[in-house]
Amino acid sequence: MRKASKALWLPVLLAGIAVAGCNDSNPVHTGANDVPAAVEFTKGQPVKAAFTDARAAGMKGVAENERLRLFVDEKTGVIAVLNKQSGEIWYSNPPERDKDPLASGVNKGILSSQLKIDYYNNFGQVNSINTFTDSVSHKQIKFEPIPHGVKVTYQFGTAVKSAADLPMMLSSERIEAMLGKLDKTGQRALKIAYKEDPDKKVYVRNDSALNGLQLDRAFKAFEDAGYTEEDLKKDMEELQFTQEKPEPRIFLASIEYALDGGSLIAKIPASGIQYPSAYPIGNISFLSFFGAGGSKEQGAIFVPDGSGALIRFNNGKKQYPAYQQPVYGEDLTMKTIEDAKTEQAVRLPVFGIIRESGAILGIIEEGASAATIHADISGKLNSYNYVYPSFNVVNKGDVVLQANGQERTLPRFQERPTKSDFTVRYAFLNKEEASYHGLARYYRRYLEEHGGLPKPKPAAEAANMPFYLQLVGGIAKEKHFAGIPYRTIEPLTTFEQSQDIINQMKNRNISNIKLKFSGWFNGGMDHEVPDHVSVDKAVGGSKGLQNFITFTREQEVSFYPDVAVLTANTGKGFNENANAARTLRGVPAALYPLDQALNRRDRDKQPSYVVSPRLTLSYAESVLKGLKEYRPGGISLRDLADQLSSDYRKHNQLDRTESESLSIQALGRFSQANPKVMADGGNVYALPFLSDITNAPMSGSHFKIEDEEIPFYQMVIRGYVDYTGSPFNLSTFTDERQYILKCLEYGAGVYFEWIHEPNDKVKDTEYNDLYAVHYKQWIDQAAEMYREVNDVLKNVRNEPITGHEKLGEGVYKTVYGNGFYVIVNYNRTDVTADGRTVKAESYLTGGVQS
């Protein structure tokens, strides 16, 4: 049999090598992650029970502290956590899963799994394995004690041969020749193993019949018939099929469970993820059904979409796609969608399950930048409502080869796996905290204790709210001289004109102005990369900037000159081949401008580029050096707290977790040099360094599966960081009343973006998105809006949001830390709430400060 086995394997191995050779890419260098093709799994000793509990019948207690007990089922890998105070038990897999009337096939196995692994073959096709079907069913699971918990190791796959080791198809001639060499038993085995396809005039492998004794007989038939590697090669050529190297696909992965106070820490160590180099792991789905709610339970799933959203258990939205969003938004080096996306990014790496009796908050502590959050409801694949993270291990891109008028797409893989453990903290909250504001309070305390927030701002009685203003200085514009085109800087707002605007705002009683100024250096709004700082003469030059900074200090205006660090907005002065991040195809990551009319990227225009993360620190130092003589007191970071990208440069890769680390270091440099740091977006890793956030998430993405958007983000950061949403005059709000109500409900400042020159100055430029920004059109309205918002929110300056609830359709109540509350009514008709009438598109206030 050994000789025949070798005969079957060799040509397929050669075929696999041929495909890899055409791949125009490097193989995945797994290093310590590469698992031998054949490995014998060694089971550990049976789990020693430290205690038992009738409430977790059939499970062994392995760890305990003052608040929790941890149990395991050594036969299935299922774990359970008992909350001692409430008596509630949370299971990694639904206890009644075997009775699920909906789940079948692979979905039945996934319900019983703790991990699901998606891996690639040589052709870039995705295959999936899970701990139940591919590990537990083969009794390839091992438990080892660790401090405060247990480590569970799984081996996926076995070295036992399967039907895939036999040829996919055989010709009629081949079958007849083999039958002539076999006895009756061998003939019968071959006829069962292959079914005739009369349309194609071939015999196709009958996988459903090839198991157990019948599989063994089929292998013996091939051996007795003398089937060789040359025979397989001829069959592949004649019948035009390829077959992957039928090498045992053995994978290893571990989960470490440990109790920590009122939380369970679940970790997938990177060192424990092992796989054959020919089959790189794409991603790992982690504890998909931890705390899942059944089809008859009341509750909700919390997802971190934008400001936050709830998906009610069993909401009946079976026709809509499951929720799925990457943490910290899209990796721009992996961007493949040509259409513009309008969805909000995930800023906080958290998710949750809320039940009537208690709640779980999942906090991704390691590997967040490689994570995606998933959630779905009952009635689709199974009878459960669930939320979980998955983690990217090895990303895949596509290389298109062209020759002789033909195209072929081949995969190209990340050179080495993500350099991070994947760790999730599951915090268990009692009944009184089982709400989304309870989850937010817990997460705020967690960030406080782990240095994830700046120092809280002191509560100030009747202190004015910020008015956020972005002024655009200069833009690049194409002009003509004697018919010859040239590019120049078109001033839209000079430093002197900015003083005029601020004076007019002061005259209208707009106070606490926080001014972001973009388009002031290195060539306007889309400036050259900040490897130096040269103030544009078109807006006033160095002297003008210095005078303006003096003016802002005298007027008590906070000034934030705006800088982009992670994006080369123009190719001028930037060597994209040397300094742009590379995609998996090996080319510089280009970002083409959006065609507003078609809502697609315009590839006829010059792109900007994703800067390699390895330049982040040097650019930060250059900016700080260039601003040192001006001492502006603040800085605005356009992209450093908003986007996060990898660099797949050959032999010099930086994955997204490494990129995050470099961004954190750069944010620290800016924070040390400036008492005030403003940033767009506000990803959680940036929060400790920020004083202000613009374009903070003020809604969710309105995915169809979601039921309600909530101010979870605001409940976490208010009182530590000031924030506002997008500028009103460039937002999707068509009604100032709706914008004002949103500010009151979410505790946010008012924000406008202006220029001094008329709007037609941006006509026929690449800045058509600045379509309604002339300050004279907005300043009076802005003053009124600010007055109304400030009159309410100055009562809760720097107070956290401690409560929020939906009182009715379009009616919400927000409670602040000092007891002051606001009830807003977004409807165009009056409503009654809390026994009081709230006028249409208006609000009521109450509490200790009313």
Side-chain angles (χ1 to χ4, degrees):
M1 183 66 187
R2 187 169 296 174
K3 181 177 179 181
S5 176
K6 181 178 179 182
L8 285 173
W9 287 49
L10 182 58
V12 183
L13 173 59
L14 293 174
I17 294 172
V19 170
C22 294
N23 201 0
D24 190 32
S25 65
N26 298 310
V28 179
H29 298 294
T30 58
N33 294 79
D34 199 3
V35 67
V39 61
E40 184 177 348
F41 184 77
T42 304
K43 288 190 65 175
Q45 296 297 316
V47 175
K48 293 184 179 179
F51 54 86
T52 57
D53 194 311
R55 290 169 291 185
M59 305 185 78
K60 295 181 179 180
V62 293
E64 181 177 23
N65 63 22
E66 292 182 357
R67 300 173 64 179
L68 302 175
R69 279 186 158 186
L70 174 63
F71 302 86
V72 300
D73 183 336
E74 59 188 323
K75 293 181 180 179
T76 64
V78 172
I79 64 118
V81 177
L82 169 68
N83 184 332
K84 289 183 174 181
Q85 184 175 351
S86 67
E88 187 167 23
I89 300 180
W90 297 87
Y91 291 90
S92 62
N93 303 84
E96 303 294 320
R97 60 191 179 277
D98 290 338
K99 300 177 184 178
D100 189 340
L102 285 179
S104 61
V106 67
N107 292 316
K108 195 84 170 177
I110 291 173
L111 263 183
S112 297
S113 300
Q114 293 79 52
L115 298 176
K116 181 173 79 75
I117 292 177
D118 295 331
Y119 69 91
Y120 299 107
N121 62 21
N122 281 325
F123 305 101
Q125 298 163 323
V126 178
N127 298 277
S128 296
I129 50 178
N130 64 71
T131 53
F132 180 78
T133 305
D134 302 281
S135 178
V136 170
S137 294
H138 299 297
K139 298 182 180 180
Q140 296 175 163
I141 180 172
K142 178 170 63 177
F143 293 83
E144 302 170 78
I146 60 173
H148 314 295
V150 66
K151 178 180 179 180
V152 187
T153 300
Y154 304 90
Q155 177 177 299
F156 303 79
T158 69
V160 177
K161 294 193 182 303
S162 68
D165 292 291
L166 296 172
M168 290 172 59
M169 60 184 73
L170 298 172
S171 67
S172 300
E173 294 78 10
R174 177 71 66 192
I175 286 283
E176 290 175 6
M178 292 177 67
L179 288 172
K181 300 177 182 179
L182 299 173
D183 60 18
K184 289 185 179 181
T185 302
Q187 290 174 358
R188 176 176 169 77
L190 192 61
K191 289 177 180 179
I192 292 174
Y194 286 84
K195 286 184 176 180
E196 185 178 9
D197 184 340
D199 293 333
K200 297 181 180 179
K201 297 181 180 179
V202 297
Y203 283 80
V204 180
R205 191 176 65 209
N206 183 14
D207 287 5
S208 61
L210 290 169
N211 48 59
L213 183 60
Q214 190 55 51
L215 180 61
D216 293 338
R217 288 173 176 170
F219 278 119
K220 188 174 188 308
F222 272 85
E223 181 178 5
D224 291 346
Y227 192 85
T228 67
E229 60 187 55
E230 289 300 321
D231 294 332
L232 179 58
K233 186 175 182 181
K234 288 177 182 178
D235 289 337
M236 290 171 64
E237 291 174 353
E238 178 185 343
L239 301 179
Q240 296 182 340
F241 71 91
T242 57
Q243 200 166 323
E244 286 186 340
K245 171 186 172 184
E247 176 181 303
R249 301 174 196 178
I250 306 298
F251 299 80
L252 294 172
S254 300
I255 306 177
E256 296 177 357
Y257 300 104
L259 298 181
D260 180 27
S263 300
L264 172 73
I265 311 297
K267 174 189 288 190
I268 304 174
S271 59
I273 302 172
Q274 298 182 48
Y275 50 87
S277 57
Y279 302 106
I281 292 176
N283 63 72
I284 299 180
S285 299
F286 192 28
L287 296 176
S288 301
F289 295 93
F290 202 155
S295 58
K296 295 182 180 179
E297 289 187 80
Q298 298 291 318
I301 301 166
F302 159 63
V303 292
D305 173 22
S307 63
L310 297 179
I311 301 171
R312 301 289 179 191
F313 284 5
N314 315 307
N315 64 15
K317 298 180 179 181
K318 303 174 190 177
Q319 71 272 37
Y320 299 124
Y323 170 84
Q324 179 177 316
Q325 276 192 297
V327 177
Y328 307 142
E330 192 174 22
D331 185 334
L332 295 179
T333 61
M334 297 290 295
K335 189 176 180 67
T336 57
I337 303 298
E338 287 294 303
D339 296 341
K341 284 190 175 182
T342 57
E343 66 185 51
Q344 295 287 327
V346 170
R347 304 295 181 186
L348 306 176
V350 292
F351 55 91
I353 291 281
I354 303 169
R355 290 170 161 175
E356 291 180 326
S357 55
I360 291 181
L361 177 65
I363 304 170
I364 303 175
E365 293 190 325
E366 293 181 283
S369 51
T372 297
I373 307 296
H374 307 256
D376 209 351
I377 57 167
S378 66
K380 294 162 106 176
L381 302 177
N382 53 65
S383 301
Y384 295 94
N385 306 273
Y386 53 98
V387 61
Y388 66 93
S390 67
F391 298 94
N392 292 328
V393 179
V394 174
N395 283 304
K396 179 188 79 75
D398 291 319
V399 177
V400 178
L401 301 181
Q402 295 179 327
N404 301 322
Q406 294 183 326
E407 280 190 357
R408 188 179 183 190
T409 301
L410 295 172
R412 185 184 180 103
F413 298 103
Q414 187 174 320
E415 283 187 340
R416 56 170 173 74
T418 300
K419 291 177 69 174
S420 174
D421 295 334
F422 304 130
T423 304
V424 181
R425 173 184 294 268
Y426 294 91
F428 302 95
L429 283 68
N430 294 329
K431 183 175 182 178
E432 57 272 17
E433 289 291 304
S435 61
Y436 59 86
H437 33 89
L439 296 183
R441 277 194 294 272
Y442 182 95
Y443 190 48
R444 185 172 66 240
R445 290 195 302 268
Y446 169 86
L447 290 177
E448 286 176 338
E449 293 169 1
H450 291 79
L453 289 170
K455 291 182 180 179
K457 298 178 185 243
E461 188 174 340
N464 289 319
M465 286 288 292
F467 181 99
Y468 290 94
L469 174 63
Q470 179 173 356
L471 292 178
V472 179
I475 60 172
K477 188 172 184 179
E478 188 173 282
K479 295 185 177 181
H480 294 80
F481 178 76
I484 301 173
Y486 68 98
R487 289 176 71 83
T488 186
I489 302 300
E490 178 77 22
L492 301 180
T493 313
T494 65
F495 293 129
E496 285 190 6
Q497 290 169 338
S498 300
Q499 293 186 34
D500 177 47
I501 291 173
I502 289 172
N503 286 328
Q504 293 187 51
M505 293 171 68
K506 290 276 190 176
N507 292 337
R508 290 167 173 78
N509 295 318
I510 297 176
S511 56
N512 197 6
I513 299 169
K514 297 194 174 186
L515 173 61
K516 177 199 295 191
F517 198 101
S518 56
W520 61 276
F521 82 114
N522 286 20
M525 180 80 165
D526 287 344
H527 59 76
E528 298 174 20
V529 289
D531 54 0
H532 67 289
V533 172
S534 176
V535 183
D536 295 333
K537 292 182 180 179
V539 295
S542 297
K543 187 173 182 180
L545 174 59
Q546 191 64 71
N547 291 338
F548 183 64
I549 291 172
T550 301
F551 169 82
T552 57
R553 289 198 188 107
E554 293 171 350
Q555 296 296 317
E556 297 183 334
V557 170
S558 299
F559 178 54
Y560 302 83
D562 187 55
V563 177
V565 176
L566 302 180
T567 309
N569 292 299
T570 173
K572 186 178 180 182
F574 180 73
N575 185 337
E576 63 266 24
N577 287 322
N579 297 326
R582 294 297 180 103
T583 69
L584 281 166
R585 294 189 297 119
V587 299
L591 305 172
Y592 287 88
L594 181 67
D595 185 319
Q596 300 271 352
L598 299 176
N599 197 39
R600 290 183 65 82
R601 301 293 165 185
D602 189 344
R603 291 185 172 269
D604 292 330
K605 293 185 178 178
Q606 289 295 316
S608 55
Y609 293 93
V610 180
V611 172
S612 172
R614 70 189 78 257
L615 295 172
T616 303
L617 287 174
S618 64
Y619 283 174
E621 295 291 355
S622 296
V623 171
L624 292 172
K625 181 179 179 181
L627 283 174
K628 190 173 182 180
E629 63 178 292
Y630 299 104
R631 295 181 296 112
I635 191 165
S636 168
L637 303 173
R638 192 183 306 177
D639 49 20
L640 198 52
D642 179 51
Q643 69 186 54
L644 204 58
S645 297
S646 309
D647 184 358
Y648 295 109
R649 186 173 296 273
K650 193 173 182 178
H651 306 318
N652 202 8
Q653 171 188 294
L654 283 172
D655 66 46
R656 217 170 176 220
T657 63
E658 295 169 299
S659 177
E660 178 187 347
S661 177
L662 291 168
S663 289
I664 290 171
Q665 293 178 54
L667 285 159
R669 305 278 177 89
F670 282 118
S671 179
Q672 290 171 8
N674 296 276
K676 299 174 182 177
V677 179
M678 177 186 289
D680 270 354
N683 291 339
V684 72
Y685 55 80
L687 293 180
F689 311 103
L690 303 183
S691 60
D692 297 86
I693 299 172
T694 50
N695 292 297
M698 295 288 286
S699 71
S701 303
H702 309 295
F703 294 125
K704 296 289 188 181
I705 197 172
E706 296 173 350
D707 294 298
E708 185 180 338
E709 61 184 32
I710 57 175
F712 187 93
Y713 186 87
Q714 286 72 19
M715 287 188 279
V716 171
I717 72 168
R718 198 173 201 276
Y720 298 84
V721 184
D722 286 335
Y723 54 87
T724 185
S726 56
F728 171 70
N729 55 316
L730 294 176
S731 71
T732 56
F733 284 96
T734 57
D735 183 344
E736 69 176 74
R737 297 305 308 164
Q738 300 288 312
Y739 182 86
I740 288 169
L741 295 178
K742 179 65 80 168
C743 289
L744 298 181
E745 182 193 357
Y746 279 49
V750 175
Y751 184 23
F752 279 82
E753 183 172 348
W754 290 340
I755 62 174
H756 190 275
E757 296 298 311
N759 288 322
D760 60 15
K761 282 286 187 179
V762 301
K763 187 179 179 181
D764 299 324
T765 72
E766 296 176 0
Y767 302 90
N768 291 326
D769 54 328
L770 301 177
Y771 50 83
V773 288
H774 181 44
Y775 84 100
K776 284 186 178 180
Q777 295 177 326
W778 299 102
I779 191 167
D780 291 328
Q781 183 180 4
E784 286 301 311
M785 292 171 67
Y786 173 72
R787 178 195 59 76
E788 188 169 0
V789 170
N790 187 51
D791 282 352
V792 175
L793 293 185
K794 68 182 180 182
N795 295 302
V796 291
R797 186 76 177 102
N798 299 332
E799 292 285 352
I801 295 175
T802 55
H804 181 270
E805 62 179 317
K806 183 178 182 179
L807 301 180
E809 197 59 43
V811 184
Y812 299 90
K813 180 178 181 180
T814 304
V815 182
Y816 292 90
N818 59 0
F820 184 88
Y821 67 82
V822 182
I823 300 174
V824 299
N825 174 21
Y826 290 98
N827 300 294
R828 298 186 186 276
T829 56
D830 296 356
V831 299
T832 300
D834 273 6
R836 302 168 68 185
T837 299
V838 189
K839 295 291 185 182
E841 293 191 298
S842 190
Y843 55 89
L844 291 176
T845 62
V848 296
Q849 295 289 331
S850 61

